[in-house]
Amino acid sequence: MTQDNHTAVASDTTRKLSWGMITQNGGVVALLVILLFNVLVTPNFLHPQTLFVNISQVATIAIVAVGMTLVIATGGIDLSVGAIMALAGAIAPLIFTSAFAEANPELGLALAIIVPIFVALLCGVFNGAMVSFLNVQPIVATLIFFISGRGIALVLTNGNLQTFSNPAFSYLGTGKILGFPFQGYLVIVIAVAVWWLMAYTVFGRQLLAVGGNERAAQLSGIPVKRVKIGAYVICAGLSGLAGLIVVAINSASDAARIGNLMELDAIAAAVVGGTLLQGGKAPIFGAILGAIIIQLVKYTLLANGVADEVALIAKAGIIILAVYVQQARKE
């Protein structure tokens, strides 16, 4: 090989390494830029109440994004997460405001958390079974519950807003420990637990193998169907928990509004965090970073007088940029 060829190869390698470093750290750079802008421009950004609100808002996105990351890592997608949030959020008040719960408040509170999440898990089984056993495309399979799940929630509540006063349940969304929001601790615990699941368990390795090459995974003896169902079940369960948090924050449940467009936020957070849309990669902490970026972009625009509709366009732009960066990494 000539000296010129050596130089060309070295130059190309340098460009690839430099681009790789930029794309790998792009999320952190974007977050720092957004934070710096808000500190300098946005009024009261560092006020404790503002920080509390942002953490409360990002918690639900982050929790759902972690579940979405697992589903996307299998090569799938889940459009039903918002509907599952609405369904879980509709069931909880029906339980702890019932006569049984009033007579047995502690048991009623426990059931108001356990039953909605159990129902959410069943929704995940439905989604996973549709994808795995009936070979329905993930976007179609989850679209079924995207439509029917919210409809079931509206039927259960007769389309009415459910308001309540239950300090014990509301703590899930408004509580603080050492001044830090309780749901923030939940995000940390969930992220660490799912990261450990993916890094140190057979299920985690199998899930990445399925997303990387499903046919090869199947030939190597990996229970592909079971792994896929597991990913959808975890995603649905986390969505149910997020729905309970939203209800607890507002001390009200509105089946028509809870979880609206959450599927877009969760997908955007996962993709911005480095999750490959073709599967095979599940950066859990990247999904948390992506959720923070998505929330801060929305907050920054609204706090500076930009319409919410523009925030939706900005999210779309973020997804496009993230997908472009993913494609650039392959080159």
Side-chain angles (χ1 to χ4, degrees):
M1 185 179 290
T2 65
Q3 182 66 33
D4 289 341
N5 288 336
H6 278 297
T7 302
V9 170
S11 177
D12 184 60
T13 302
T14 301
R15 285 197 298 270
K16 288 184 177 180
L17 288 174
S18 299
W19 179 250
M21 292 174 63
I22 292 172
T23 55
Q24 287 174 10
N25 297 287
V28 176
V29 173
L31 178 60
L32 292 176
V33 170
I34 296 170
L35 288 173
L36 181 61
F37 175 86
N38 279 293
V39 168
L40 296 176
V41 176
T42 306
N44 301 316
F45 177 70
L46 295 179
H47 190 279
Q49 185 59 33
T50 301
L51 296 177
F52 182 88
V53 169
N54 273 308
I55 293 173
S56 298
Q57 294 293 327
V58 80
T60 52
I61 300 174
I63 290 172
V64 179
V66 167
M68 186 67 75
T69 295
L70 299 189
V71 171
I72 295 177
T74 67
I77 202 76
D78 192 345
L79 300 182
S80 68
V81 292
I84 292 174
M85 287 177 63
L87 181 58
I91 293 173
L94 292 176
I95 294 175
F96 64 66
T97 57
S98 66
F100 172 82
E102 291 179 358
N104 306 273
E106 293 182 357
L107 180 57
L109 179 63
L111 290 175
I113 295 174
I114 294 172
V115 173
I117 292 180
F118 178 73
V119 172
L121 293 173
L122 291 179
C123 296
V125 172
F126 173 84
N127 288 335
M130 290 286 289
V131 172
S132 300
F133 290 102
L134 298 181
N135 295 318
V136 179
Q137 288 291 329
I139 194 170
V140 176
T142 57
L143 183 63
I144 295 171
F145 217 89
F146 169 86
I147 298 170
S148 62
R150 192 173 299 277
I152 295 171
L154 289 167
V155 169
L156 289 175
T157 61
N158 292 319
N160 297 323
L161 175 69
Q162 301 178 88
T163 59
F164 59 86
S165 177
N166 189 315
F169 183 83
S170 294
Y171 186 86
L172 186 64
T174 60
K176 295 181 182 180
I177 299 177
L178 300 177
F180 190 75
F182 176 73
Q183 65 265 40
Y185 290 102
L186 281 178
V187 171
I188 294 171
V189 170
I190 289 169
V192 171
V194 177
W195 168 80
W196 179 87
L197 178 73
M198 296 302 298
Y200 294 104
T201 69
V202 173
F203 173 80
R205 292 191 291 273
Q206 290 178 338
L207 188 148
L208 295 179
V210 169
N213 190 322
E214 183 174 331
R215 180 59 178 165
Q218 193 171 34
L219 292 175
S220 65
I222 292 175
V224 172
K225 291 182 173 61
R226 190 169 66 194
V227 169
K228 283 187 175 183
I229 291 175
Y232 282 96
V233 166
I234 293 172
C235 183
L238 292 177
S239 299
L241 175 60
L244 297 183
I245 292 174
V246 172
V247 171
I249 290 173
N250 299 319
S251 291
S253 175
D254 185 353
R257 296 179 61 85
I258 292 177
N260 270 343
L261 300 181
M262 178 55 76
E263 55 280 346
L264 301 183
D265 284 345
I267 293 170
V271 172
V272 170
T275 304
L276 301 178
L277 290 173
Q278 64 268 32
K281 186 177 180 182
I284 302 303
F285 294 112
I288 304 298
L289 175 65
I292 295 172
I293 291 173
I294 293 298
Q295 168 58 27
L296 284 181
V297 167
K298 179 179 178 180
Y299 170 80
T300 302
L301 293 173
L302 294 178
N304 288 279
V306 180
D308 192 38
E309 293 78 5
V310 178
L312 294 176
I313 298 174
K315 290 179 187 178
I318 291 173
I319 296 175
I320 293 172
L321 178 61
V323 172
Y324 171 75
V325 168
Q326 287 188 9
Q327 294 300 320
R329 287 181 181 178
K330 298 178 185 178
E331 297 176 357

